[in-house]
Amino acid sequence: MPFPAVHPALDRALANKGYAEPTPVQAAVLEGLGEQDLLVSAQTGSGKTVAFGLAAAGSLLGEAETFGPADAPLALAIAPTRELALQVAQELSWLYAEAGAKITTCVGGMDARKEARALNFGVHIVVGTPGRLKDHIERDNLDLSALKVLVLDEADEMLDMGFREDLEFILEQSPPERRTLLFSATIAREIATLAKRYQRDAVRIDATDKSRPHGDIEYRALRIAPNEIEHATVNTLRWFEAGRAMVFCSTRDSVRHLQASLLERGFASVSLSGEMGQRERTDALQALRDGRARVCVATDVAARGLDLPDLGLVIHAELPVNRAALLHRSGRTGRAGKKGVSVLMVPHSRRRKAERLLAEAGVEAVWQGAPTFDQIRKADEDRLVAPEFFEAEVTDEDMILAKRLIAERTPEEIAAALVRLRRADLPAPEELSDPGADRQPQRRERVRSEGGDELAPTPWPGERLQPDEVTWFRMDIGRNRNADPKWLIPLICRVGGIAKPQIGAIRTFPEETRFEIAKSHEKAFRDAVAASNEEVKITPSEAPTPGSFKRARREDGEGARPFVKKPPFKRAEGEGGEARPAFKKKPYQPRAEGAPRPAGDKPFSHAGAKKPFKPKPGFKEGGFKKTGFKGKRPS
């Protein structure tokens, strides 16, 4: 359906911008248009900014064609991040351009004095972040006495970021008769509590389609080895060849490291994190918008509220912490009716968490291995011979040069040069190993040698690898250095560049540890161990046999001799070759009453068991003498 008439100035702005039909959230807001408060839940990227801009028009303009002279602000829009606030201000600027609205922003990282001067000169609409708005109110730069409409955009994110106190302060400083429009992706308990406290008879609008959650986003989960996240990210970017892509990491250090790795491999990439200044963030976003950069590596907080054009791919290099983070990350793509792909990198040890996140979010993902080297090369060849590659318009100058090439070179030489130039612009894909699907863990059991000595505390419950599928290795760490599978497995994975599923049984001995490695990864493991600088020495080995590693006893500091059980103790023979009689303890025989005591047997006296008591000075019979040590016996 077309946009209904809201206000002449806004209707012209929508027509000039090419808005023909409203989105579901815009249609829902316009359908119940009035002077009530609104509590709206809608997915990220559904056109909420235009929706609340249209909803506020009646309260701000009324029957007037344009705004009057600018003074104290009539509308205040609060957003969680600087980027989102600037985007909201940009959207409202063209929407209210023909109405003569004067709009200013108050966001962190910008010149606060410049913002204060703009507020003092008078504005109609203010867009800002909670912290900076609170600061201007406390400094008497922002007067909310004339406020008619207050908008909370992405309210759930603001609460997650810890802005509750700032929001409550701003709401309490505004007039109680204002309209409050609250927009949120989800209406959690905290949002409902906030709405109940600061809204009056709010109209509840749910613009989310629960029967088809995120229908424009395709979810994929890639099984990868824990040490191949960077390589899998490179191959995923190469496989999809999206116009713009965003890669999410959990920490600033991870963002910095991954972005440097992508730059080294030839990707035009930028990064966004909390440690960057506003100028750096602005330059990075501008590079993405004008096409100088194709990949953005960011943290969750830094990327909130971003609206990048043609963002077709989102990669979760590190899994999000919860369901909301997954939806907010993925919501950067699949916006405004466009299709997008959300890819989760799932190491073997994080499979359960990934499944739980997807189940809580109500989405289904396709599980598969990461794109391999051969698959990417095949995709490159298909793109090179695709009809779209040859359907571009050719200028006369290009045709003249093409005819010259045909005259001077053979078709094979021209095609080879084309392939070479094409591949030179593409980063090389990486070699990856597919950890495979889930397997059944081994049953824990005790392993003992023939002599009863325990070979290992227990086999590690990893992959059930058959004897003909493994190769044995040894490392010079044993029980003498507290060897334990809990830290041996991460060590083996780090040194050998493999994943836990490729490790079989582990046997710990007094001086060494032997372990199984899948034959499919034997060569890669040998090469990684040879190139490693770790102090642990890992070499090929034979399978341990029962009884071959019984406990040893040190004879000196250099060698060891096998444990030999000593024969039973025998008394040395006396002089003359005759054995001395063994000592026999006499049985107890009680002494008859009145019989004489044997010689040397002294009577036991209780009186002599302790020293006689000698009172010290100050001791008083029947109590303690009053001294400086109250309640204590003086020493």
Side-chain angles (χ1 to χ4, degrees):
M1 69 173 187
F3 271 98
V6 178
H7 187 275
L10 274 65
D11 295 340
R12 292 193 298 269
L14 292 172
N16 295 336
K17 200 69 175 180
Y19 279 71
E21 296 183 359
T23 63
V25 63
Q26 295 166 359
V29 169
L30 293 174
E31 183 178 354
L33 199 60
E35 297 299 318
Q36 304 95 343
D37 292 352
L38 299 180
L39 176 59
V40 184
S41 60
Q43 296 177 358
T44 303
S46 56
K48 290 182 290 185
T49 304
V50 174
F52 65 70
L54 296 174
S59 302
L60 299 179
L61 291 170
E63 299 296 332
E65 179 69 20
T66 60
F67 286 94
D71 193 5
L74 303 177
L76 174 64
I78 309 175
T81 63
R82 291 174 287 188
E83 284 73 22
L84 182 57
L86 295 176
Q87 290 178 22
V88 169
Q90 185 178 5
E91 291 289 305
L92 296 180
S93 295
W94 67 258
L95 184 62
Y96 283 94
E98 297 199 14
K102 188 175 181 181
I103 302 174
T104 190
T105 58
C106 299
V107 298
M110 305 296 283
D111 190 351
R113 293 174 296 180
K114 184 178 179 180
E115 295 173 351
R117 289 194 296 269
L119 294 173
N120 291 332
F121 287 148
V123 294
H124 296 113
I125 301 174
V126 176
V127 183
T129 52
R132 180 56 65 89
L133 291 173
K134 179 183 177 183
D135 183 63
H136 281 303
I137 294 174
E138 291 176 340
R139 296 175 182 271
D140 295 330
N141 296 327
L142 179 57
D143 181 14
L144 301 182
S145 59
L147 200 66
K148 295 182 179 180
V149 179
L150 192 148
V151 181
L152 299 179
D153 192 13
E154 302 286 359
D156 53 344
E157 292 192 18
M158 287 191 283
L159 294 182
D160 291 341
M161 297 171 67
F163 289 133
R164 171 182 288 277
E165 294 183 359
D166 295 342
L167 290 177
E168 292 178 347
F169 175 83
I170 297 171
L171 289 167
E172 290 172 357
Q173 296 296 320
S174 59
E177 62 274 8
R178 71 181 185 279
R179 287 184 65 196
T180 304
L181 311 181
L182 195 153
F183 286 74
S184 177
T186 58
I187 305 299
R189 180 180 300 178
E190 294 182 344
I191 299 296
T193 302
L194 190 70
K196 184 177 181 180
R197 181 176 178 183
Y198 293 103
Q199 287 188 311
R200 295 174 290 111
D201 300 328
V203 177
R204 177 74 168 88
I205 298 176
D206 188 356
T208 58
D209 187 358
K210 296 187 171 51
S211 61
R212 294 174 49 200
H214 300 280
D216 294 331
I217 302 177
E218 177 186 356
Y219 286 85
R220 298 194 184 186
L222 305 187
R223 301 183 303 269
I224 62 171
N227 59 331
E228 292 184 342
I229 293 179
E230 291 183 12
H231 292 174
T233 301
V234 170
N235 285 12
T236 303
L237 291 171
R238 288 281 284 104
W239 172 261
F240 287 98
E241 288 291 333
R244 288 173 182 82
M246 179 164 286
V247 183
F248 282 95
C249 298
S250 300
T251 63
R252 301 175 183 177
D253 292 338
S254 299
V255 168
R256 185 164 49 247
H257 178 77
L258 183 56
Q259 197 258 343
S261 179
L262 294 178
L263 282 176
E264 182 182 1
R265 286 170 168 83
F267 288 92
S269 61
V270 295
S271 63
L272 290 176
S273 62
E275 64 184 0
M276 299 175 62
Q278 184 60 35
R279 181 179 294 276
E280 295 175 304
R281 297 168 65 88
T282 303
D283 293 342
L285 292 175
Q286 188 59 38
L288 288 168
R289 291 190 175 99
D290 58 23
R292 288 182 288 114
R294 190 172 69 88
V295 182
C296 177
V297 187
T299 57
D300 293 338
V301 176
R304 283 180 174 174
L306 292 182
D307 186 11
L308 298 176
D310 300 328
L311 184 65
L313 176 64
V314 169
I315 299 177
H316 308 265
E318 295 176 338
L319 292 179
V321 295
N322 52 33
R323 163 187 172 275
L326 173 63
L327 295 178
H328 282 302
R329 283 181 176 186
S330 304
R332 300 304 104 203
T333 185
R335 302 168 74 95
K338 297 181 181 179
K339 300 296 182 180
V341 180
S342 178
V343 179
L344 287 81
M345 300 296 176
V346 186
H348 185 272
S349 59
R350 311 286 282 177
R351 173 77 181 246
R352 290 185 179 179
K353 179 179 179 181
E355 292 176 342
R356 186 181 70 252
L357 286 173
L358 293 171
E360 292 175 353
V363 297
E364 294 183 0
V366 178
W367 286 86
Q368 63 186 76
T372 62
F373 183 94
D374 295 335
Q375 290 174 338
I376 295 173
R377 285 302 191 195
K378 180 64 169 57
D380 291 341
E381 295 174 2
D382 295 340
R383 295 187 186 104
L384 184 60
V385 300
E388 296 81 5
F389 190 75
F390 299 93
E391 291 177 355
E393 183 179 357
V394 181
T395 63
D396 295 338
E397 184 179 359
D398 294 338
M399 187 58 67
I400 293 174
L401 182 57
K403 292 180 179 179
R404 179 182 174 183
L405 288 173
I406 294 174
E408 298 180 0
R409 298 290 180 179
T410 64
E412 291 79 6
E413 292 176 337
I414 297 175
L418 175 63
V419 172
R420 185 170 61 254
L421 291 175
R422 172 67 174 171
R423 287 183 174 176
D425 296 335
L426 298 175
E430 300 286 348
E431 292 283 358
L432 295 177
S433 60
D434 185 1
D438 287 343
R439 302 173 188 257
Q440 294 297 325
Q442 287 182 339
R443 179 178 58 87
R444 285 185 175 267
E445 57 183 359
R446 310 297 289 184
V447 180
R448 295 183 178 273
S449 67
E450 293 176 351
D453 290 324
E454 187 178 330
L455 287 179
T458 177
W460 184 259
E463 297 286 331
R464 182 177 290 277
L465 300 172
Q466 301 301 320
D468 58 343
E469 299 176 343
V470 298
T471 301
W472 284 89
F473 288 82
R474 68 173 295 276
M475 66 172 64
D476 56 348
I477 296 178
R479 285 195 292 266
N480 58 344
R481 295 172 63 180
N482 299 324
D484 187 271
K486 291 181 180 179
W487 60 268
L488 284 177
I489 286 184
L491 174 65
I492 296 171
C493 293
R494 184 178 71 252
V495 175
I498 61 174
K500 179 181 173 183
Q502 283 83 55
I503 303 175
I506 296 178
R507 304 287 188 266
T508 56
F509 303 104
E511 307 296 335
E512 68 178 27
T513 297
R514 298 193 185 189
F515 54 93
E516 295 176 337
I517 297 296
K519 286 185 177 180
S520 59
H521 293 71
E522 178 185 356
K523 184 180 182 302
F525 183 78
R526 289 175 182 267
D527 296 340
V529 168
S532 175
N533 296 325
E534 294 283 344
E535 297 180 359
V536 179
K537 185 178 180 181
I538 298 178
T539 56
S541 174
E542 298 293 335
T545 57
S548 59
F549 282 88
K550 294 184 179 181
R551 289 185 176 89
R553 184 180 291 178
R554 287 284 182 182
E555 184 179 39
D556 51 34
E558 298 180 356
R561 59 182 175 84
F563 176 77
V564 179
K565 191 172 182 180
K566 292 184 178 181
F569 175 76
K570 292 184 178 180
R571 218 172 253 287
E573 295 182 354
E575 296 181 359
E578 296 180 0
R580 292 184 295 178
F583 172 78
K584 293 183 179 180
K585 187 176 180 180
K586 295 180 179 180
Y588 171 73
Q589 296 180 356
R591 183 166 55 90
E593 185 177 357
R597 187 181 300 278
D601 189 3
K602 297 181 181 181
F604 176 78
S605 174
H606 287 281
K610 286 186 177 182
K611 293 182 180 180
F613 173 70
K614 295 181 180 180
K616 293 184 178 180
F619 175 77
K620 185 179 180 182
E621 192 71 26
F624 295 104
K625 182 181 178 180
K626 291 185 179 179
T627 62
F629 299 88
K630 187 175 181 181
K632 289 177 96 176
R633 185 185 297 275
S635 57

